Amino acid sequence: MHDRTNTEKTAGAAPVTDHIGKEPPHHPASVPWKSMTVARGDNLSLIFNRMGLSPAVLYQVLHTDKRTADLKHLLPGQRLQFQIDEQGLKVLKYEEDLVTTLEVNRDGDGFTSKVVTTPLETRNVTADATIKDSLFLAGQRAGMSENLIMQMVAIYGWDIDFIQDIRSGDHFKVLYQEQYKDGVKVGEGPILAAEFVNQGRSYKAIRYTSPDGKTDYYSDTGASMRKAFLRTPVKFTRISSRFSLHRRHPILGITRPHEGVDYAAPRGTPIKATGDGVVAFLGRKGGYGRTIILKHGGRYSTLYGHMSAYARHLHAGSRVKQGQIIGFVGMSGLATGPHLHYEFRVNGVHRNPLTVKLPKAKSIPKQYLADFKLKSATLLAELEQPGEKGATVVAMRDEDKGEQNLPANY
């Protein structure tokens, strides 16, 4: 026999009440949400019409205040949510971006608006891979997106030539962020710390924001990962001719120095300035064909030859930034095929672009070094911990190769 409690229902018992003689309060069913994604060519008028809302309501909403006027400028892919009851539009939510939502609420005969901010959840994740066949395949198998892999390439681009220097057995580990909204991944990056072991040599990189607000990547000693010059000015398919003091010219048939490097690439491939500088020369220059010479301060200069065309609005005296497109690959002048001839000079003397020691950009100022060491130690310790996506990449079977659409040369 079980004990009865005073809350147990019995046949014929009166309904339970909060107060003697009163029925429980009535809770109406919640109004369901309806979602609409903005399509190309859409505007709020078309969307309201599809939702069965009148032009008068549209006018009221758009003229509620300055914030709701932004609804006139919807973009494809943005999302709108509606609550519509028997009286018409009750609530409209407009997701301006991942963290900001404009909410329009019915208030009597009109509407009011407010901005709701929803912070994203940020998670730190590690990816760990050993290269057996391809940098991109290794990164993808470790759970990295193409965007993250390209971030890593950009960080190490001054120290490692990812076309010429990568070897089977090279290893990398990356600590990066992922952003989540309501438990759904909505973004990724930036990379916080990384280690790349290339041909047995370890390169560590840490993302650091100094107290004055400058963010960049540095080695574990505080030296800038960014150099004053990029190692290569073009995305090439192969090196067709290397730096040599005794090379037989393929057209002239004579032996003479080849004081640069020839990068074979399809006609029209963009050519980038390898460092900040000023255009000292732009025009045709003998066997070089269409040529640009950049001066980089007092000691350094670079030459780019055999171009098919120059970048628009570029002329002698123009200032250029590192990575800026200055022209396009061609075969003007004495050339047997489309390629870029690139020269690097120090104090007027030609140096091998593939091996010359590149000057570094500025490192962390001394007054911030202690702060950097404290923060970098924390990130490097986290990098060494196994993460959600850590994995060692194994060799890919021959029959699996080519299944993924990867950028050329990787």
Side-chain angles (χ1 to χ4, degrees), residues 73-257:
H73 309 291
L74 301 177
L75 297 175
Q78 290 180 318
R79 194 163 69 118
L80 298 169
Q81 292 180 286
F82 297 83
Q83 270 191 335
I84 302 173
D85 61 15
E86 63 277 2
Q87 299 178 49
L89 179 63
K90 182 180 179 183
V91 185
L92 166 63
K93 290 183 178 181
Y94 163 55
E95 296 183 1
E96 297 180 358
D97 53 44
L98 287 175
V99 298
T100 308
T101 299
L102 173 64
E103 187 174 306
V104 182
N105 292 274
R106 187 172 64 218
D107 185 14
D109 294 331
F111 294 91
T112 59
S113 77
K114 62 181 179 179
V115 173
V116 179
T117 302
T118 306
L120 298 179
E121 178 194 353
T122 300
R123 304 176 189 174
N124 288 358
V125 181
T126 58
D128 188 355
T130 298
I131 298 173
K132 298 298 182 182
D133 39 32
S134 157
L135 171 68
F136 267 82
L137 288 174
Q140 287 176 339
R141 290 194 175 193
M144 296 173 65
S145 67
E146 183 173 319
N147 172 56
L148 282 170
I149 297 169
M150 291 308 298
Q151 282 188 42
M152 181 178 68
V153 169
I155 291 169
Y156 286 107
W158 285 271
D159 291 300
I160 301 172
D161 185 330
F162 282 92
I163 297 174
Q164 298 293 314
D165 295 342
I166 297 301
R167 300 288 186 272
S168 177
D170 284 355
H171 176 265
F172 61 86
K173 198 169 191 177
V174 180
L175 173 69
Y176 62 95
Q177 291 185 328
E178 291 183 338
Q179 292 80 39
Y180 288 79
K181 183 177 183 179
D182 299 327
V184 178
K185 181 182 172 182
V186 293
E188 62 181 16
I191 290 175
L192 302 177
E195 181 181 19
F196 202 109
V197 180
N198 174 233
Q199 300 185 45
R201 182 175 179 182
S202 172
Y203 300 86
K204 291 181 179 178
I206 300 99
R207 188 176 192 267
Y208 173 69
T209 300
S210 60
D212 62 2
K214 181 183 177 182
T215 300
D216 214 333
Y217 289 91
Y218 300 88
S219 72
D220 52 345
T221 62
S224 175
M225 297 297 293
R226 185 184 302 274
K227 308 297 187 295
F229 291 91
L230 300 173
R231 179 62 72 180
T232 55
V234 68
K235 190 170 185 178
F236 59 95
T237 54
R238 63 189 177 89
I239 293 178
S240 54
S241 187
R242 294 178 178 270
F243 185 92
S244 172
L245 298 179
H246 304 284
R247 185 194 73 149
R248 185 174 180 82
H249 196 281
I251 295 179
L252 300 178
I254 59 175
T255 298
R256 67 180 188 182

Side-chain angles (χ1 to χ4, degrees), residues 38-54:
V38 179
R40 187 176 299 276
D42 259 347
N43 57 44
L44 197 60
S45 177
L46 293 174
I47 293 172
F48 266 47
N49 184 58
R50 289 202 293 269
M51 300 301 293
L53 299 170
S54 71

Side-chain angles (χ1 to χ4, degrees), residues 275-395:
D276 294 352
V278 177
V279 178
F281 176 87
L282 185 150
R284 286 188 173 268
K285 189 176 179 63
Y288 291 113
R290 293 185 182 88
T291 301
I292 288 179
I293 297 176
L294 301 180
K295 291 286 290 182
H296 312 274
R299 297 187 62 203
Y300 303 97
S301 65
T302 53
L303 179 147
Y304 312 77
H306 303 309
M307 292 182 173
S308 62
Y310 310 111
R312 293 180 62 186
H313 309 305
L314 208 60
H315 54 81
S318 295
R319 291 192 173 275
V320 298
K321 290 289 187 181
Q322 184 182 77
Q324 180 180 332
I325 294 174
I326 58 174
F328 304 90
V329 169
M331 52 183 296
S332 57
L334 296 177
T336 57
H339 71 278
L340 169 69
H341 175 80
Y342 174 64
E343 295 182 3
F344 191 94
R345 302 173 186 177
V346 182
N347 294 325
V349 178
H350 290 85
R351 305 291 296 274
N352 186 346
L354 297 176
T355 59
V356 64
K357 186 175 181 180
L358 299 177
K360 292 181 178 291
K362 293 182 179 179
S363 296
I364 292 177
K366 289 183 179 179
Q367 65 266 33
Y368 301 145
L369 197 54
D371 180 60
F372 167 76
K373 288 183 176 180
L374 180 65
K375 293 177 179 176
S376 64
T378 300
L379 290 174
L380 290 174
E382 190 171 355
L383 179 67
E384 294 304 314
Q385 299 298 317
E388 294 179 20
K389 296 187 179 180
T392 300
V393 180
V394 297

Side-chain angles (χ1 to χ4, degrees), residues 13-91:
V16 177
T17 59
D18 294 326
H19 301 284
I20 297 175
K22 294 183 180 181
E23 293 290 331
H26 175 66
H27 298 287
S30 61
V31 180
W33 286 98
K34 297 180 181 179
S35 295
M36 181 73 68
T37 300
V38 179
R40 187 176 299 276
D42 259 347
N43 57 44
L44 197 60
S45 177
L46 293 174
I47 293 172
F48 266 47
N49 184 58
R50 289 202 293 269
M51 300 301 293
L53 299 170
S54 71
V57 174
L58 172 65
Y59 182 87
Q60 280 186 299
V61 169
L62 290 177
H63 292 82
T64 297
D65 53 33
K66 290 182 179 180
R67 288 192 292 254
T68 60
D70 291 342
L71 292 166
K72 297 177 183 178
H73 309 291
L74 301 177
L75 297 175
Q78 290 180 318
R79 194 163 69 118
L80 298 169
Q81 292 180 286
F82 297 83
Q83 270 191 335
I84 302 173
D85 61 15
E86 63 277 2
Q87 299 178 49
L89 179 63
K90 182 180 179 183
V91 185

